[in-house]
Structures are given as C-alpha cells and as structure tokens.
Amino acid sequence: SFCTLLLLNNHTQAMVNWAEMRAKMPTSKTPEEKERRMDIFKQFDPNGNGYLSLAEVDKGCRDVLGLHDLFDAKPVIMRAFQAAKSLNDKRGKASRGPDYVERCEFRMLLVYLRQYFELMVMFEEIDTSDDRRVSIAEFKQAVPRLEAWGVKIDDADAEFKKIDANGGGILLF
C-alpha cells in the first residue's frame, strides 16, 4: 500500500514516500532481493574494492538509490554506517576491518538506513520547536502520538529521564 508521511522540516513540507523507499532498498533474504542488493552494492562501490566508505554510502544514497530525503539526512547515514560496519565479526585477511561496510554487512546497512530514517522523521515530528532538540515539554505533548506509534508511556517524566542518559534536560537525535 502507498504510505506517505508529512514531514515538516525547517518549515518546509516534504513528502516521504515509504513505499518507494522500501522498493529501492531490498532487504529481504529472498534470492531475488539478494541479487538486486548485490547489484546495488556494486554501484555503491565504484572502485570495486569490495567495501564501502562512509563517503561511498552517502553518495550511493543520492546517486544510486535516488533517495534525496535520505541523502539530506546525514545523521541517519552516519548512524546506519556506524551500526553496520562492524557486524562482521569473522574478519580474515580479506577484511578491511571495522572501518568500512563489507558486502556481507550491506543488507543490514539498508535495514539501518530505513529504520534510522523512520526514527528521525518521528523525532522531527515531536520536535515542534524545530531546534533539533526535544524538551521535556515537547516530549509530554507528544505522548499521545508516541502511544499511537505503539510506545506505551505511563510516566512521561520517568521515561524522559531514562532516555536523557546524560541528564542534559534535552534529547538529541
């Protein structure tokens, strides 16, 4: 089904086409999607060395996937890259170490890109002041929205305090 979400960012309206994003990022383990994923990996890896730098992932989001909303979301790309690049714990001679995304980590990179982008969109919806931070007041105001997304919150103050691990009084993405 076609699903879009209105994303308000810096007072500009943009439509996120979730169906398009899913279609462009094959993440299932079927042979067909694996084949598509390997083709996409080759396009992300223009020098053919078998691993991806952050710059190659960033460029691939724009030039290969054509997902400009995702390309513009640098924190999403950085977090997904960091999460995916060290998943391969069987590092042999051919491995480039934990500084790059290898072919065997690419499916999870795509999964993480989608998940972190969805979280960023939710974060921006909660951040009503558009200052890239969520205050306790914004968090409390968003409790009904969070519950609609499936997050059960009994005590907003206690939950905010748990999330605010450094005690700074604000949440950052």
Side-chain angles (χ1 to χ4, degrees), residues 11 22 24 26 32 35 43-44 60-61 72-73 75-76 84 97 99 113-114 117 136 146 156:
H11 308 289
R22 267 192 307 277
K24 288 185 174 186
E32 298 80 19
E35 185 177 330
Q43 292 174 63
F44 268 55
C61 288
D72 291 338
V76 168
D99 296 327
L113 285 168
R114 167 76 159 97
F117 187 72
I136 183 66
L146 289 164

Side-chain angles (χ1 to χ4, degrees), residues 48-101:
N49 62 8
Y51 56 93
L52 305 174
S53 67
L54 176 59
E56 288 170 323
V57 170
D58 187 48
K59 188 174 184 314
C61 288
R62 182 192 66 205
D63 298 347
V64 176
L65 298 177
L67 295 172
H68 297 281
D69 289 335
L70 180 58
F71 174 74
D72 291 338
K74 298 305 182 206
V76 168
I77 295 171
M78 291 185 333
R79 282 173 178 74
F81 181 83
Q82 293 298 322
K85 72 179 179 142
S86 58
L87 290 174
N88 178 16
D89 63 353
K90 294 179 176 73
R91 305 243 180 240
K93 281 185 175 181
S95 175
R96 298 296 175 192
D99 296 327
Y100 300 94
V101 171

Side-chain angles (χ1 to χ4, degrees), residues 2-47:
F2 181 78
C3 177
T4 58
L5 178 69
L6 185 61
L7 170 64
L8 298 174
N9 186 11
N10 296 329
H11 308 289
T12 307
Q13 289 188 359
M15 298 299 283
V16 176
N17 185 330
W18 296 106
E20 176 188 28
M21 185 174 282
R22 267 192 307 277
K24 288 185 174 186
M25 297 193 327
T27 58
S28 77
K29 295 181 179 181
T30 65
E32 298 80 19
E33 290 224 344
K34 183 176 182 179
E35 185 177 330
R36 282 187 54 225
R37 198 167 43 253
M38 289 303 99
D39 181 54
I40 292 169
F41 182 89
K42 288 175 190 171
Q43 292 174 63
F44 268 55
D45 183 21
N47 59 8

